[in-house]
Amino acid sequence: MKQNETIEDSNKKITKKGIVKFDPDTAKTLPISTNRKRTKGWVVEREYNGLILAIEAFESLNAYDLIALFQMLDDYSKNFELWQEIGEIHDDDFVRKLMQREFSLNILCKQRDIKTDKRNRETIAKSFERWYKTELIYKRTDHITKTRYLFEYKVDKDFKTITIVANTNFLDFCLTNGMAMNWARLVKYGKNYYALELDIYLQFRSIQYGKKTKKYSYPNTINEKTLFKHLGIESEVKDDREKRRKVKQAFKKFEEITGIKYFYDRKERKWFKNSYINN
């Protein structure tokens, strides 16, 4: 940060476009639950590259916490000079570089197009706290390795700024070979949670065409049961008709924001992209 420059001034440099590279394969290593209802003492195991990865969180993280991660990645990739290297942690065969960053919660709220009142500032700060209170445990045949996404987290008493110390190995891991993730579009869904989850799912499922070009297209067909699961509807709604109604509402909002339309086929129980049907 330049001399006499305030934290507010430095954060204004953050891009407004809200496009960040993100490798969708790393989603397997994230403590994100599709269920918007939080679960205390959340533990989940996943397989990644032949390893068993256990994720232990103070409470489950959801799509809103994922947006906080995208804000962090966006800033790290485009405002790297504002991150301060403070040391390393040597753990088994790994060397984890730690970098510190102070954020203005007012600016983080503005990025999400929400009011900068204390309640919203506290909500975003809590997302960063959840990342801090989550531990990754890599289980191998001969030993176990533990690490974190964030190694330190501090917030001032008025919830105006937060200071984090991040595991930049994790941030670099997310950004490597990443696709263009439009996280700024995600904030437009507000409290329409199923539509938000739908957009995230479709962006994660984008298909790359060509070996050298990076062009992505949303899936042409999606089974409704897959949507029930990935949108978190399966665990919250019992009646199938109500599940379909909520999916339909989510697609309607998705179309309103993106201009991309999907149609439902009752016979096949699938959703088809409009351009796929017309081809």
Side-chain angles (χ1 to χ4, degrees):
M1 191 182 301
K2 296 179 181 179
Q3 189 174 9
N4 299 325
E5 184 179 44
T6 68
I7 184 64
E8 287 282 338
D9 293 332
S10 69
N11 276 267
K12 287 178 182 177
K13 298 176 181 177
I14 298 174
T15 177
K16 293 182 179 180
K17 293 182 179 180
I19 305 293
V20 66
K21 289 177 62 181
F22 183 78
D23 187 343
D25 285 341
T26 64
K28 298 176 183 177
T29 70
L30 300 180
I32 304 297
S33 170
T34 57
N35 196 331
R36 59 180 162 182
K37 295 180 181 178
R38 302 191 185 279
T39 302
K40 298 290 185 181
W42 195 67
V43 179
V44 64
E45 282 197 354
R46 298 190 179 118
E47 185 176 349
Y48 184 79
N49 286 346
L51 299 175
I52 299 299
L53 174 65
I55 301 172
E56 297 183 357
F58 167 71
E59 63 180 3
S60 58
L61 287 76
N62 61 29
Y64 297 117
D65 304 306
L66 185 60
I67 293 176
L69 173 62
F70 290 145
Q71 289 182 285
M72 198 185 332
L73 289 171
D74 203 348
D75 183 75
Y76 176 74
S77 63
K78 295 168 184 172
N79 299 294
F80 186 76
E81 73 278 3
L82 301 178
W83 291 68
Q84 178 184 1
E85 187 173 347
I86 63 171
E88 296 178 341
I89 292 179
H90 295 258
D91 183 10
D92 295 333
D93 298 327
F94 299 95
V95 178
R96 295 179 174 84
K97 185 165 65 175
L98 305 181
M99 297 190 78
Q100 181 175 287
R101 176 71 163 108
E102 187 178 23
F103 288 99
S104 160
L105 286 165
N106 278 339
I107 297 298
L108 294 179
C109 285
K110 290 177 181 178
Q111 286 184 322
R112 297 194 187 198
D113 292 328
I114 57 177
K115 294 180 180 180
T116 59
D117 56 42
K118 186 176 180 180
R119 181 180 179 182
N120 285 335
R121 297 198 308 272
E122 186 174 355
T123 296
I124 293 179
K126 287 291 184 182
S127 281
F128 282 85
E129 184 179 8
R130 290 185 192 98
W131 285 104
Y132 166 65
K133 291 184 175 180
T134 301
E135 191 172 51
L136 287 167
I137 304 170
Y138 293 90
K139 296 182 179 181
R140 297 174 174 82
T141 54
D142 54 343
H143 65 282
I144 293 176
T145 301
K146 294 184 178 182
T147 188
R148 289 179 176 272
Y149 304 100
L150 302 181
F151 281 90
E152 289 183 22
Y153 160 85
K154 296 178 182 178
V155 60
D156 71 328
K157 63 179 181 179
D158 294 322
F159 288 92
K160 291 183 177 180
T161 64
I162 54 172
T163 302
I164 62 170
V165 173
N167 176 359
T168 59
N169 294 51
F170 167 67
L171 300 183
D172 291 331
F173 176 60
C174 289
L175 293 166
T176 301
N177 299 321
M179 57 180 278
M181 188 74 189
N182 188 338
W183 69 263
R185 191 174 77 199
L186 301 179
V187 305
K188 297 180 180 180
Y189 291 100
K191 295 183 179 181
N192 195 326
Y193 190 79
Y194 295 134
L196 168 61
E197 282 284 8
L198 175 64
D199 198 322
I200 292 172
Y201 173 74
L202 292 176
Q203 289 200 57
F204 278 1
R205 282 283 314 276
S206 294
I207 303 168
Q208 182 175 353
Y209 292 95
K211 295 182 179 180
K212 296 182 179 180
T213 58
K214 287 190 175 181
K215 295 182 179 180
Y216 297 86
S217 175
Y218 296 118
N220 291 321
T221 62
I222 316 170
N223 186 286
E224 73 169 8
K225 288 187 177 180
T226 300
L227 291 172
F228 292 164
K229 175 183 176 181
H230 287 281
L231 272 59
I233 295 175
E234 188 70 56
S235 60
E236 295 184 13
V237 182
K238 294 182 179 181
D239 183 71
D240 283 348
R241 288 176 298 180
E242 182 63 14
K243 291 177 184 177
R244 294 186 186 104
R245 189 181 71 83
K246 291 187 177 299
V247 171
K248 183 178 180 180
Q249 290 176 338
F251 270 112
K252 183 178 180 181
K253 187 65 176 179
F254 176 76
E255 180 187 355
E256 177 186 319
I257 290 177
T258 67
I260 301 170
K261 189 167 187 175
Y262 277 79
F263 291 94
Y264 180 64
D265 187 301
R266 291 180 177 275
K267 184 177 180 180
E268 295 196 37
R269 302 292 194 212
K270 291 181 180 180
W271 285 85
F272 292 84
K273 192 166 64 174
N274 187 33
S275 58
Y276 178 71
I277 293 175
N278 293 332
N279 287 338

